[in-house]
Amino acid sequence: MSVTQNGKGYNRTLAFTIMMLAAISGSLMQTSLGTALPSLMKAFDISISTAQQATTWFLLTNGIMVPLSAYLANRVPTKYLQLSASLALLVGIIITMLTPENSNSWWIFVAGRIVTALGVGIVMPLLQIVIINMYAPEERGAAMGMMGLVVGMGPAIGPTLTGWILKENHTIFGLTLSDHWQSIFIIPFIIIAIATLLTPVFVKNVIQTSKIKMDYFSVVLSTIGFGLFLWGFTNVSTQGWGDWSQVILPISAGIVVIILFGWRQLKLDKPFLDIRVFMNKEFTIASAQIILLTMAMYGVEMMLPTYLQNVRGLNPFDSGLTLMWGALCLGLISPIAGILYNKVGTKRLSFVGFSMLALGTLPYIYLTPETPTLLITVLYTMRMAGVALTMMPLTTAAMSALPDSMGSHGTAANNTVRQVASSVVVALMTSVVQNVTSNHLPSSSLKTTDPILYASKALNASMDGFQIAFILSFIFAVIGIFLLIFLKSGKESNK
């Protein structure tokens, strides 16, 4: 039995489990929509660029909320903040599920996604902050490992689960899931509904709060700065790097506003987001490695489904199924990595993890249209095992390098850089693949004179684009290995 900030006893494991359920629902909502875009385009009679707004606005809202999570965690009692976030998730899912199917109602669907993102932007960082407050330093590795189930496995399973649901009718616990787009929200809805009902009873106030005055100017700067920056990068995939109004200007303006935001935080006695956490060497190095790990992971995770579908001709479900073993491996190893963290330390564990990631990525550089699917699955599983061995131990090391009083700010900063890294690598990889492919495409006249040769050269052009993306992912992993020189062992038991 653990004790709250008010000295009252509570069941720590049960509270953590309920918060994990909410995080699982939010995690599924982050990535499950991509596979359903064709179904949404048909149902609402919209273009792909319009359909992608559901993902774009979700990422923007989520990215804006993460920096705000530190203030909210220190200001609002844990139970009520968790309940508010869960309700936002629940309401957002309901709005999206009940949206009428016509192009004029699409904005309602997008609004539902925005409300959902408000909840996800709080649920994820709050879970990490709660771990710091509920668990002793020597226990955090295992708890963070369990959280790895949510951070890594949820997004990996989401697209496959969506493809499975949309492929044909299924029955779960007596409930029929039709092959209609609304069905993809039923499982996350059930999970978050259970978590919402149980939160008032079992989740307690474990974070010390105080009446911190809201610095509204910081909120405005944070919202505008990160909003513009992330919006600019999300536009790269459709507009290209040369678009001034929708890419260059938003990114540039976002950077300027973010700098102003950082300068203001350094001037405040009680900052909205205390960026002084980056003055801690161990925190900064671990955060930098998390960025590299995220970019190396997304570099392949984002491009491989496109290769499997566009080059190998697999449908979304089968391509997701090919990568499912990697997701399962990540889920199984994450808790084990948390236990190993206290035994061997961050440095050794991260070396093994980054090495597996690099070795698993290297063969992808030499992929061909005939590469056996089994080999692709094995290599992907190896990569995800490396991610599992590295992600949560690095996160734990970063948080443990800070005093507990700085935990909420460290968590917000850590999640913010991870969110930014995800947006940057998605834009970078997409643009690189598109540019390389376009530059290597044969002349359009060949399509008429020799269609077979044109198709062959076009396929090779696509492979050239994927090759560059995989090379960049390999480089990110190798840099991560070299940065380990500056990282301490990180054994909690030694502290």
Side-chain angles (χ1 to χ4, degrees), residues 394-414:
L394 280 175
T395 303
T396 307
M399 295 301 103
S400 297
L402 301 172
D404 290 353
S405 60
M406 297 289 290
S408 59
H409 291 280
T411 296
N414 187 280

Side-chain angles (χ1 to χ4, degrees), residues 117-351:
L118 290 173
V120 175
I122 297 173
V123 162
M124 292 296 199
L126 183 61
L127 179 60
Q128 196 169 316
I129 299 170
V130 163
I131 288 175
I132 297 171
N133 285 268
M134 285 200 308
Y135 292 89
E138 63 272 11
E139 298 176 305
R140 290 173 188 166
M144 285 288 187
M146 290 303 297
M147 183 180 171
L149 286 167
V150 177
V151 175
M153 197 172 179
I157 287 179
T160 308
L161 179 64
T162 301
W164 175 73
I165 291 172
L166 294 177
K167 188 177 182 182
E168 56 188 40
N169 293 348
H170 304 279
T171 301
I172 300 178
F173 303 125
L175 179 67
T176 300
L177 304 179
S178 68
D179 56 353
H180 201 265
W181 64 266
Q182 281 100 337
S183 293
I184 69 175
F185 299 105
I186 292 177
I187 294 177
F189 172 79
I190 294 173
I191 294 173
I192 192 59
I194 294 172
T196 303
L197 290 173
L198 296 178
T199 293
V201 181
F202 297 105
V203 176
K204 305 300 179 181
N205 301 325
V206 298
I207 303 173
Q208 184 67 51
T209 58
S210 59
K211 294 183 179 180
I212 306 171
K213 185 179 179 181
M214 169 72 80
D215 181 44
Y216 292 101
F217 189 44
S218 290
V219 176
V220 172
L221 289 175
S222 174
T223 302
I224 294 176
F226 287 105
L228 285 174
F229 185 81
L230 294 173
W231 180 59
F233 273 101
T234 57
N235 288 337
V236 171
S237 60
T238 55
Q239 305 299 326
W241 286 101
D243 190 285
W244 175 258
S245 61
Q246 297 189 55
V247 176
I248 297 176
L249 186 59
I251 292 176
S252 301
I255 291 173
V256 171
V257 178
I258 290 172
I259 292 173
L260 290 174
F261 170 77
W263 176 81
R264 181 167 180 81
Q265 303 318 295
L266 294 174
K267 295 295 182 180
L268 294 172
D269 293 332
K270 293 184 177 180
F272 172 73
L273 177 62
D274 198 343
I275 61 173
R276 293 180 183 88
V277 293
F278 289 107
M279 296 176 68
N280 185 300
K281 179 184 174 183
E282 287 299 304
F283 176 85
T284 301
I285 292 173
S287 296
Q289 288 183 301
I290 289 172
I291 292 174
L292 290 166
L293 183 68
T294 300
M295 298 181 82
M297 179 179 70
Y298 273 94
V300 171
E301 189 172 316
M302 184 188 69
M303 286 297 140
L304 209 51
T306 306
Y307 159 81
L308 290 170
Q309 293 179 42
N310 292 357
V311 176
R312 302 300 296 271
L314 299 183
N315 60 46
F317 172 67
D318 289 333
S319 68
L321 198 62
T322 303
L323 308 180
M324 176 60 79
W325 293 106
L328 293 175
C329 181
L330 184 139
L332 290 172
I333 293 180
S334 288
I336 299 173
I339 297 172
L340 291 175
Y341 167 78
N342 291 326
K343 296 182 179 296
V344 302
T346 312
K347 196 166 187 174
R348 294 178 184 177
L349 206 56
S350 295
F351 177 77

